[in-house]
Amino acid sequence: MTLSDDCLISIFQKLQSRHDRNAFGLTCRHWHHIQNISRRSLNLHFSYETTTYQSYVRYLPALLNRFSHLSSISIAGCTELPDSALFGLKNLKISLRSLSLSCCFKITDDGLAHVAMHCSRLVSLTLYRCTITDLALQNIANFCKLLENLNLSYCTDITDRGICALSTGCRLLHVLVLSCCSYVTGSGLKGCSQTLEYIEAECCMFTNEGLLQAVSGGGLKYLNLSNSRCSMNIDVLAPMLVSRLRFLNLRLCRFISNESVVTISKSCPLLEEWSVAVCHEIGVLGWEAIGLNCCGLKVLHVNRCRNLCDRGLQSLREGCGRLGVLYMNGCNGVSPLGVELFRLRRQDVEIRSEELLSIGPGIFDFFV
């Protein structure tokens, strides 16, 4: 009895162990072919061995030719990978949805142009620490209209011009990671789509105009401006920080004042998690505003805030009715008695001493 390819594929997909799948492929040439076309992901893992990366460069074209129905490819840390190694991606132009080129330093704008033109159905793309310029982003914007998640962190040669191209061309963009892109001020996000809900801009040079453009789409739920490299007036966000914002990371932002905290607390009624860790300018007025206005806040980070005192902690204790976790350590203005009174009054709140760099949902889970 001869089984159809669909039946064989169904059988292969039900095999759980690698040993069983390999045994399936060794049965005969046809079954080996079934094994190849059933493969959906290829992960070339990070390694400190130079010979490992040399193997990646040598065998990647053959692997791309062999596994013709891949939907996900991850190549991490292959610093010697040339543009030519990506030419085999054209065979996957229909199936490929997710591509990660983290730390592939030798991939250039030319290589990304080839990827964009031949893999136009990409949904997720990671270019962490790649040496690309705005030209690569323009090609991505021109061809990858279905792109939803894009990681550009540490792409230090890109500017707002490239981001503007993405805002115009990729209207389904959902997650944008721009951390440590020192030439990006945020102005390129003008006219961004309402689908843009998550922006990571840690250690960036966002300006007041950039902030306004970042929220101009109206769909933002997550914003990370931690460790900002320039001074901003957060008050300019008031008209634009619509009710959808749920996660706001302002850790190490020196520009945050009482007035800024009052503005944010009144403008973001759905805020669930907020980090103001190491924001030394927030005083009693700011803490009172948080306690009074942030009725839906569930998690608050106040680590190493110099001006948090017993009176400020009292405001948090008497307000923030839905608060469940308070991250607090290194607040020298808070006395042991103040902490104990908080614990007695708010037994529903867990005080944790660790200091977290990131908050909210795992942004990088979108790129798995």
Side-chain angles (χ1 to χ4, degrees):
M1 180 177 66
T2 302
L3 298 176
S4 67
D5 285 358
D6 288 342
C7 183
L8 289 172
I9 291 173
S10 179
I11 292 172
F12 178 81
Q13 290 174 344
K14 293 182 182 300
L15 299 177
Q16 300 297 317
S17 71
R18 178 180 298 181
H19 174 77
D20 289 343
R21 292 190 169 209
N22 288 338
F24 180 99
L26 292 172
T27 302
C28 64
R29 287 186 178 181
H30 184 61
W31 284 30
H32 182 67
H33 172 70
I34 295 296
Q35 180 189 29
N36 289 341
I37 65 175
S38 298
R39 180 88 177 235
R40 293 294 179 265
S41 65
L42 177 64
N43 297 310
L44 303 182
H45 298 291
F46 181 85
S47 173
Y48 289 102
E49 295 292 334
T50 304
T51 54
T52 300
Y53 287 125
Q54 291 174 344
S55 298
Y56 289 173
V57 173
R58 187 181 307 115
Y59 295 116
L60 181 60
L63 291 173
L64 294 179
N65 184 59
R66 174 183 173 184
F67 304 122
S68 58
H69 288 67
L70 293 173
S71 61
S72 174
I73 298 175
S74 177
I75 307 170
C78 193
T79 58
E80 300 301 314
L81 191 73
D83 287 338
S84 59
L86 302 179
F87 292 170
L89 292 175
K90 64 183 179 182
N91 298 325
L92 308 173
K93 59 184 178 181
I94 296 178
S95 62
L96 192 62
R97 298 291 184 273
S98 176
L99 176 63
S100 174
L101 298 173
S102 294
C103 298
C104 293
F105 301 145
K106 287 196 173 181
I107 297 299
T108 69
D109 292 343
D110 291 338
L112 262 297
H114 181 87
V115 171
M117 286 187 288
H118 292 285
C119 304
S120 60
R121 299 180 67 83
L122 276 174
V123 173
S124 175
L125 179 60
T126 298
L127 301 175
Y128 173 79
R129 289 189 181 275
C130 287
T131 52
I132 59 170
T133 71
D134 292 336
L135 180 59
L137 301 188
Q138 289 168 1
N139 281 316
I140 291 170
N142 289 337
F143 295 101
C144 300
K145 301 298 184 181
L146 301 180
L147 194 64
E148 297 180 7
N149 308 318
L150 179 59
N151 184 351
L152 299 171
S153 51
Y154 287 91
C155 292
T156 54
D157 292 328
I158 65 173
T159 71
D160 290 296
R161 183 179 179 181
I163 302 303
C164 182
L166 292 172
S167 297
T168 303
C170 300
R171 302 302 294 174
L172 298 180
L173 205 59
H174 181 61
V175 178
L176 182 60
V177 182
L178 298 169
S179 298
C180 299
C181 295
S182 54
Y183 294 128
V184 174
T185 69
S187 61
L189 291 166
K190 182 178 181 179
C192 60
S193 171
Q194 190 176 11
T195 62
L196 185 58
E197 296 184 346
Y198 299 85
I199 295 179
E200 281 267 357
E202 182 178 355
C203 299
C204 280
M205 296 290 292
F206 268 45
T207 61
N208 288 343
E209 179 192 358
L211 280 173
L212 285 172
Q213 304 308 338
V215 299
S216 62
L220 207 62
K221 293 182 180 179
Y222 175 105
L223 180 61
N224 179 5
L225 296 173
S226 62
N227 203 10
S228 177
R229 296 304 186 184
C230 64
S231 179
M232 294 175 282
N233 179 8
I234 202 75
D235 296 347
V236 302
L237 278 173
M240 304 296 292
L241 275 178
V242 290
S243 59
R244 299 189 67 179
L245 194 67
R246 297 177 181 272
F247 305 94
L248 181 59
N249 190 349
L250 299 177
R251 180 180 178 273
L252 277 168
C253 289
R254 310 296 184 181
F255 56 83
I256 298 301
S257 63
N258 284 329
E259 292 75 16
S260 300
V261 170
V262 171
T263 297
I264 294 170
S265 67
K266 290 181 178 179
S267 303
C268 307
L270 295 183
L271 202 59
E272 297 179 13
E273 185 170 2
W274 188 4
S275 177
V276 290
V278 207
C279 293
H280 298 313
E281 300 302 314
I282 304 175
V284 172
L285 291 177
W287 304 119
E288 288 178 345
I290 293 175
L292 180 64
N293 300 315
C294 295
C295 301
L297 197 64
K298 298 177 182 178
V299 182
L300 179 63
H301 304 251
V302 299
N303 310 77
R304 294 189 286 151
C305 287
R306 293 175 185 169
N307 285 326
L308 177 61
C309 58
D310 288 351
R311 183 177 169 187
L313 190 60
Q314 179 184 354
S315 298
L316 299 179
R317 183 184 77 202
E318 294 176 351
C320 299
R322 297 188 65 187
L323 192 66
V325 179
L326 179 66
Y327 288 92
M328 181 174 65
N329 73 320
C331 300
N332 296 329
V334 176
S335 69
L337 177 60
V339 175
E340 190 60 31
L341 288 173
F342 186 96
R343 293 183 187 276
L344 289 173
R345 179 71 178 269
R346 295 298 301 271
Q347 297 182 23
D348 57 323
V349 179
E350 179 185 0
I351 298 180
R352 300 179 182 176
S353 60
E354 63 265 36
E355 183 174 341
L356 303 184
L357 302 183
S358 60
I359 70 171
I363 292 299
F364 297 101
D365 291 343
F366 289 102
F367 298 90
V368 175

